[in-house]
Amino acid sequence: MNVIRATPEGSDNLDDGGAMVRIPESQRVRDALENAIVEGLHRPGERLDPARLEQEFGCSRTPVREALQALERSGLVQIRPKQGTYVTELSISELAERFEVMAELEGMAARLSSRQIELEALVALDEAVRECEKHALAGDADGYYYANARFHGIVYDSCGNEYLRQQAHALKRALQPYRRLQLRVPDRMRRSLAEHWRIAEAVRAGDAETAEDAARDHVLVQVREFSQLVRTWRHLSASSE
């Protein structure tokens, strides 16, 4: 089995200013496990053995435990008392239902944000889109994934409705692995970037109706393209065998 390994004891990365940023080992393990699950290296319903994961990632028990707890909060795994940790099984219809709800939350958050977003958040939103553009041009799906998460997070955090903000973040965490996978669908990053620009421009202009429609459609297109997503998922799973 091919496994994306986390670097023992964490890792140093460069931020945009060239400074060294220490990334916690638990985050490295979580990212690697998330990739492995979404790409089919760990199947839905499969039991994850913490001891084996410690060996695979070359780390202690604590980072593995924290990573699994984070993945449970995102809905990607289920920790069953006295039974173990299992990869969550979601059918395509269940995923589609969640994306449909996500689309409505996205649309509402964008509509509310367009009416009250502050200048600092607008600047951050533009920076996130430009970061997405940089990764899209480079064909870097993983980099795009993180910039995409920042973009949507700024919209949620600017909506002025705390309950909506919390629910949007929670569902986004649950669906991010699948949104991450879809970035590997041919041409999806380019089209996603264009959709981001449309949302950002509407929010900046205070055009609530356009912002809502653009944000909702940005998520709904992923529901419409689920057949392609499934084909990509199966291809990645087959290539890993």
Side-chain angles (χ1 to χ4, degrees), residues 179-233:
R179 296 176 85 158
R180 184 178 201 167
L181 174 63
Q182 199 184 50
L183 293 174
R184 303 188 183 194
V185 171
D187 202 40
R188 179 58 198 152
M189 273 193 289
R190 181 191 64 80
R191 289 181 290 112
S192 173
L193 176 62
E195 293 158 13
H196 281 179
W197 277 119
R198 186 180 176 217
I199 296 167
E201 289 168 0
V203 169
R204 187 186 308 110
D207 185 344
E209 182 176 352
T210 299
E212 181 173 21
D213 290 344
R216 184 190 299 114
D217 290 346
H218 176 59
V219 179
L220 285 178
V221 70
Q222 298 173 74
V223 179
R224 294 193 291 268
E225 294 180 351
F226 253 41
S227 59
Q228 178 63 49
L229 175 61
V230 173
R231 286 195 293 272
T232 299
W233 198 340

Side-chain angles (χ1 to χ4, degrees), residues 70-82:
L71 290 174
E72 183 185 37
R73 290 193 296 270
S74 76
L76 202 57
V77 304
Q78 295 176 332
I79 299 176
R80 304 172 187 170
K82 299 183 180 180

